[in-house]
Amino acid sequence: MEEEELECPNSASEKRYFPESLDSSDGDEEGILACEDLELNPFDGLPYSSRYYKLLKEREDLPIWKEKYSFMENLLQNQIVIVSGDAKCGKSSQVPQWCAEYCLSIHYQHGGVVCTQVHKPTAVQLALRVADEMDVNIGHEVGYMIPFENCCSSETILRYCTDDMLQREMMSSPFLGNYGVIILDDIHERSIATDVLLGLLKDVLLARPELKLIINSSPHLISKLSSYYGNVPLIEVKKQHPVEVVYLSGAQKESLESILRLIFEIHQSGEKGDIVVFLACEQDIEKAYEIVCQEGSNLNPDLGELVVVPLYPKEKCALFKPNDETEKRCQVYQRRVVLTASSGESLIWSNTVRFVIDVGVERRKVYNPRIRANSLVTQPISQSQAEIRKQILGSSSSGKLFCLYSEEFASKDMRPLKPAEMQEANLTSMVLFMKRVDIAGLGHCDFMNRPAPESLMQALEDLDYLAALDNDGNLSEFGIIMSEFPLDPQLSKSILASCEFDCVEEMLTIAAMVTAPNCFSNLPHGAEEAALTCWKTFLHPEGDHFTLINIYKAYQDIALNSTSDHCVEKWCHDYFLNCCALRMADVIRAELLEIVKRIELPCAEPAFGSKENALNIKKALLSGYFMQIARDVDGSGNYLMLTHKQVAQLHPLSSYSITKKMPEWVLFHKFSISENNYIRITSEISPELFMQLAPPYYFSNLPPSESKDILRQVMDHLSPLSTMKKEPKMCEKCPETTEQRCTIQ
């Protein structure tokens, strides 16, 4: 018997299928009456499916469900409501649905619902889950917006988005008029964008009394939030099952060995359930993954094979999302081992987790504004992070947490709360955004934790060097256009400079490739030589930025000429390239090109391969990255930063490292102070080119050094005319109304 189709009134392409038990295709009167008696979904006007009722029972079992009446009552009577609950209590999926019901009840007269997330995968997974629970179509009534991907439409009632996407929306709609309810989720993560939204929304709420703000947080931050927002209603979700905690003092010193031993002991014990392991950093994930895969194959086959899942919270795009094959393997082989690191807590979705192993430390990036570089610092996690990791087991009455540290370490060495990212990160992008919204009168922001004055001063200084500020400290025309790009300000400036130097197409490719995850695959043991042989085919003598263009062009040629995605994936696999990262770069480049066209920037025909084009690309790069220059001080690859006295080496995957040709002067994209002190993505530049393009006042502010003396000699040899910084000609090519157009967008 065939299932009857019922078309969605707003989309002929979307279908809803009735289950067989409700089929009325035989046309008899009883079938028609049964269809008429079906309960209709108020969000799309279609009958609920049987799956809706199945999921409804699961929702009613969530700890937060008991608080629905209290929440709805407080939502009606108050402008701000705080919801406090442990991880996996259901607040991220249920509260937005209740808010959607509220907006429906007042006929969306003030707008729909938006719910922010810190992590992209969480926003996507929640949107998919909630669309399923609401029995509506993803991309229609429920959608998501993450950087470089928009799965929403004009029909979208409830949208999940990353916090930085809602922040960017404020540039074009400062008072967020499309929304009647704004939900800030995972406040305890303390990302820069979330902290900025918390501050700016104070002013928005005053301007829009009808707007509702819901704040979801773990219990640890509630007292701080209450003092920040004043006396507002608090909904507290009761704690879940107690968890057995085992402290293994002394195991931290040899944490990797202890973790591996625990994994195999749990597996050999025969106890059911998946294992989640929190490691310190990405490198530890890779080491553990390789060892567990190797050793796991030697275990007793009667216990089943361990299915190892590396879950990278931020840098990689290969995040854990079980596909049918993975689920099938897990059913057959019984156990999954998820390896993750800090910030991976909110990415764990499975209810089958019975064991958590926590190393108790993390590797954090801490920005030093004096040297304009990140330091990779290994330090204890906070007590709130440790508690959230325990809560992953909250839905299980038999969960067990193994802490590779002592109770004394937890009480004395761990800070109570996770540090705010705003106090440890480069604030240049944030200050550019704040300057942009100041155009709309929202420049004042009452931050929950004030950023360090030194970091703010460095950010303002960098924006001034990049010509983003005028003489009064407000955004210049350049600054307004730079803020249109969802990129680091230095990269945005390079794109604008490429308009003058006729290399926009090439610069967009570079911007996309450095913004996307690393395009080189993690190499299995023993594959290094074969991978280097493949990668050598893409090397460009001018440097790594040009090598990235070669890789992207090769990928694009394969993608255009292939008959299926499988062919592209095979090509990437054969050349040890990350197909996911290259696809992301393709998406990013398309969006950047759309922005260039929207604001009508001049765009010359691509001329990659000519000497003039290579010089122009370097000019464009230098226009944005003149603060990231290093010189080989001894001819052996020891590069001294121009702005400070840190010494670094070229990354092993740099084209110069592979060819053993070390240029004297290089421009670099990334540098972090760590064990290796690598500078990444480097291209050779000449000191003459640097002196022509770097602002004179930046050069005068450089600390004394041998490199500065060399540059001063170069400046003395150049004619006065060539040392003068040229004003970009972009504005002459753009329409006269550029400034006004960028201001109102």
Side-chain angles (χ1 to χ4, degrees):
M1 186 183 296
E2 294 182 355
E3 294 178 325
E4 181 183 348
E5 298 176 359
L6 183 63
E7 293 188 5
C8 177
N10 295 319
S11 174
S13 62
E14 295 288 349
K15 312 283 187 183
R16 180 71 59 75
Y17 293 91
F18 287 110
E20 268 193 359
S21 59
L22 299 178
D23 185 270
S24 58
S25 58
D26 56 6
D28 64 10
E29 189 176 343
E30 288 183 8
I32 295 171
L33 288 173
C35 189
E36 287 177 352
D37 291 339
L38 288 174
E39 185 180 0
L40 296 181
N41 187 333
F43 291 105
D44 63 5
L46 300 175
Y48 283 122
S49 67
S50 57
R51 178 166 175 77
Y52 168 80
Y53 297 102
K54 177 187 174 185
L55 293 176
L56 182 60
K57 289 181 180 179
E58 295 178 10
R59 294 169 61 193
E60 289 171 348
D61 290 335
L62 291 169
I64 198 168
W65 192 265
K66 300 180 182 67
E67 309 299 331
K68 181 176 181 180
Y69 177 79
S70 174
F71 173 82
M72 296 300 286
E73 191 174 35
N74 279 287
L75 180 64
L76 285 169
Q77 298 174 1
N78 300 277
Q79 194 175 19
I80 303 174
V81 180
I82 297 176
V83 179
S84 166
D86 292 345
K88 298 175 76 173
C89 72
K91 62 183 185 293
S92 298
S93 60
Q94 302 311 301
V95 168
Q97 294 186 60
W98 300 341
C99 292
E101 292 173 16
Y102 161 77
C103 289
L104 175 67
S105 70
I106 59 172
H107 308 291
Y108 310 108
Q109 56 182 311
H110 305 309
V113 182
V114 64
C115 179
T116 66
Q117 298 294 320
V118 174
H119 303 289
K120 292 185 287 186
T122 315
V124 175
Q125 292 292 335
L126 278 169
L128 292 169
R129 174 69 183 180
V130 168
D132 199 18
E133 290 183 355
M134 291 175 65
D135 211 19
V136 295
N137 295 308
I138 189 70
H140 287 256
E141 292 79 13
V142 176
Y144 62 86
M145 290 189 307
I146 60 176
F148 308 106
E149 187 177 352
N150 184 356
C151 184
C152 294
S153 68
S154 58
E155 304 166 8
T156 303
I157 301 157
L158 167 58
R159 64 186 66 198
Y160 283 87
C161 70
T162 50
D163 49 9
D164 57 328
M165 290 298 289
L166 187 63
Q167 178 184 285
R168 288 196 63 80
E169 193 171 338
M170 292 189 77
M171 294 198 313
S172 57
S173 177
F175 297 101
L176 299 171
N178 290 328
Y179 306 113
V181 181
I182 296 172
I183 305 165
L184 299 183
D185 202 2
D186 287 340
I187 295 294
H188 52 271
E189 291 276 358
R190 302 305 306 277
S191 69
I192 291 177
T194 293
D195 274 12
V196 168
L197 287 170
L198 279 169
L200 289 179
L201 284 173
K202 279 189 168 185
D203 291 332
V204 176
L205 289 167
L206 290 174
R208 291 186 58 201
E210 77 283 0
L211 178 65
K212 306 284 187 179
L213 174 63
I214 313 301
I215 300 173
N216 286 348
S217 178
S218 66
H220 315 91
L221 201 61
I222 294 306
S223 60
K224 195 173 183 69
L225 279 170
S226 298
S227 60
Y228 182 63
Y229 269 105
N231 186 24
V232 297
L234 172 64
I235 306 295
E236 292 187 273
V237 183
K238 293 180 180 178
K239 291 184 178 294
Q240 302 175 56
H241 297 290
V243 172
E244 181 184 351
V245 181
V246 179
Y247 290 98
L248 301 171
S249 56
Q252 207 171 45
K253 294 178 182 177
E254 47 181 30
S255 59
L256 196 57
E257 291 81 359
S258 301
I259 287 167
L260 296 170
R261 186 166 59 250
L262 268 173
I263 290 172
F264 296 131
E265 284 177 1
I266 292 169
H267 188 57
Q268 289 171 340
S269 72
E271 293 184 63
K272 303 292 184 183
D274 292 337
I275 305 169
V276 173
V277 183
F278 286 98
L279 297 154
C281 59
E282 185 180 301
Q283 290 77 11
D284 286 353
I285 294 176
E286 291 167 359
K287 287 179 189 174
Y289 176 76
E290 188 173 344
I291 296 172
V292 175
C293 287
Q294 287 177 352
E295 298 296 326
S297 60
N298 300 324
L299 296 174
N300 183 351
D302 294 337
L303 295 171
E305 179 189 0
L306 289 175
V307 180
V308 190
V309 183
L311 176 59
Y312 301 99
K314 286 192 176 181
E315 297 298 328
K316 305 264 180 127
C317 62
L319 291 159
F320 174 58
K321 181 181 175 184
N323 53 30
D324 294 339
E325 183 62 27
T326 307
E327 291 292 348
K328 184 178 177 182
R329 290 183 69 197
C330 290
Q331 290 169 11
V332 174
Y333 297 117
Q334 298 179 347
R335 198 186 308 278
R336 183 163 51 204
V337 179
V338 180
L339 305 173
T340 188
S342 180
S343 298
E345 296 92 347
S346 60
L347 303 176
I348 308 297
W349 289 80
S350 175
N351 288 321
T352 60
V353 177
R354 295 291 179 270
F355 306 95
V356 171
I357 302 172
D358 182 12
V359 72
V361 295
E362 63 180 345
R363 185 171 293 179
R364 298 178 64 86
K365 281 185 181 179
V366 179
Y367 186 72
N368 186 335
R370 283 173 292 179
I371 60 175
R372 291 183 172 87
N374 286 311
S375 297
L376 292 177
V377 181
T378 301
Q379 58 188 25
I381 61 172
S382 66
Q383 292 173 6
S384 60
Q385 286 173 281
E387 182 64 25
I388 290 170
R389 293 177 180 187
K390 185 200 296 185
Q391 291 165 12
I392 291 172
L393 298 163
S395 58
S396 168
S397 58
S398 58
K400 188 178 289 188
L401 169 66
F402 295 94
C403 299
L404 304 191
Y405 50 85
S406 64
E407 288 186 78
E408 184 182 10
F409 177 87
S411 60
K412 291 184 178 180
D413 294 308
M414 290 183 177
R415 288 176 282 190
L417 296 173
K418 182 179 180 179
E421 187 184 6
M422 186 175 290
Q423 296 179 315
E424 297 185 338
N426 185 347
L427 302 181
T428 310
S429 294
M430 185 206 80
V431 172
L432 180 65
F433 166 76
M434 295 300 293
K435 287 285 183 182
R436 175 64 186 266
V437 295
D438 190 46
I439 295 170
L442 291 174
H444 170 72
C445 189
D446 178 21
F447 294 116
M448 195 186 304
N449 288 90
R450 300 294 296 177
E454 191 177 18
S455 296
L456 286 174
M457 289 302 296
Q458 174 265 317
L460 287 166
E461 186 179 56
D462 285 3
L463 291 176
D464 191 35
Y465 286 147
L466 293 168
L469 304 179
D470 62 20
N471 293 333
D472 298 322
N474 300 315
L475 276 194
S476 64
E477 182 179 352
F478 263 104
I480 293 169
I481 302 176
M482 283 166 61
S483 68
E484 289 289 318
F485 291 92
L487 302 171
D488 178 88
Q490 291 174 276
L491 201 48
S492 301
K493 179 63 185 292
S494 290
I495 291 176
L496 294 189
S498 71
C499 298
E500 177 192 358
F501 299 120
D502 297 329
C503 56
V504 175
E505 292 283 346
E506 294 81 3
M507 197 62 231
L508 289 179
T509 299
I510 292 171
M513 290 293 283
V514 298
T515 304
N518 184 9
C519 66
F520 297 105
S521 296
N522 289 327
L523 299 179
H525 185 68
E528 293 84 356
E529 190 174 338
L532 283 177
T533 302
C534 292
W535 292 341
K536 281 180 181 178
T537 61
F538 304 114
L539 297 186
H540 195 289
E542 297 291 348
D544 298 338
H545 296 86
F546 299 81
T547 296
L548 292 178
I549 296 176
N550 278 342
I551 292 172
Y552 179 79
K553 285 171 67 69
Y555 165 79
Q556 224 181 18
D557 289 343
I558 291 294
L560 290 172
N561 297 319
S562 296
T563 55
S564 67
D565 289 343
H566 175 72
C567 297
V568 179
E569 290 168 2
K570 184 180 184 305
W571 178 82
C572 290
H573 180 268
D574 291 345
Y575 280 87
F576 299 92
L577 297 174
N578 185 336
C579 190
C580 176
L582 288 169
R583 282 179 179 149
M584 178 59 72
D586 209 21
V587 172
I588 293 171
R589 192 187 186 283
E591 181 160 330
L592 296 179
L593 182 60
E594 186 63 33
I595 294 171
V596 166
K597 290 178 179 177
R598 174 168 57 82
I599 57 182
E600 299 177 24
L601 296 177
C603 188
E605 289 293 318
F608 186 66
S610 68
K611 287 187 177 180
E612 182 183 5
N613 178 258
L615 181 61
N616 286 341
I617 292 172
K618 290 183 179 182
K619 287 179 178 179
L621 285 168
L622 262 171
S623 298
Y625 287 91
F626 53 83
M627 289 178 275
Q628 294 183 195
I629 304 297
R631 170 177 162 262
D632 186 354
V633 291
D634 56 9
S636 62
N638 290 313
Y639 285 87
L640 187 68
M641 308 289 122
L642 198 55
T643 51
H644 51 83
K645 294 183 178 180
Q646 290 289 335
V647 176
Q649 283 74 42
L650 298 177
H651 191 269
L653 293 183
S654 170
S655 56
Y656 300 120
S657 297
I658 294 173
T659 58
K660 309 297 182 186
K661 295 178 181 178
M662 303 295 175
E664 183 180 4
W665 295 84
V666 294
L667 173 150
F668 60 89
H669 182 70
K670 283 183 184 178
F671 170 64
S672 292
I673 299 172
S674 59
E675 311 91 58
N676 298 316
N677 272 20
Y678 287 138
I679 49 177
R680 299 167 184 264
I681 312 179
T682 55
S683 289
E684 182 178 9
I685 55 118
S686 68
E688 291 80 10
L689 202 59
F690 172 82
M691 292 307 301
Q692 289 173 13
L693 291 162
Y697 52 95
Y698 169 74
F699 175 74
S700 64
N701 289 337
L702 287 174
S705 67
E706 183 185 358
S707 298
K708 186 175 182 179
D709 293 339
I710 293 171
L711 290 172
R712 187 174 281 111
Q713 293 172 14
V714 169
M715 181 175 64
D716 293 340
H717 284 88
L718 292 171
S719 66
L721 183 64
S722 63
T723 58
M724 291 176 62
K725 177 80 167 67
K726 293 181 181 179
E727 286 296 322
K729 299 180 288 185
M730 184 206 65
C731 297
E732 297 172 9
K733 299 179 183 178
C734 288
E736 291 180 1
T737 57
T738 300
E739 186 167 355
Q740 289 86 345
R741 183 177 63 253
C742 293
T743 300
I744 62 174
Q745 281 173 350

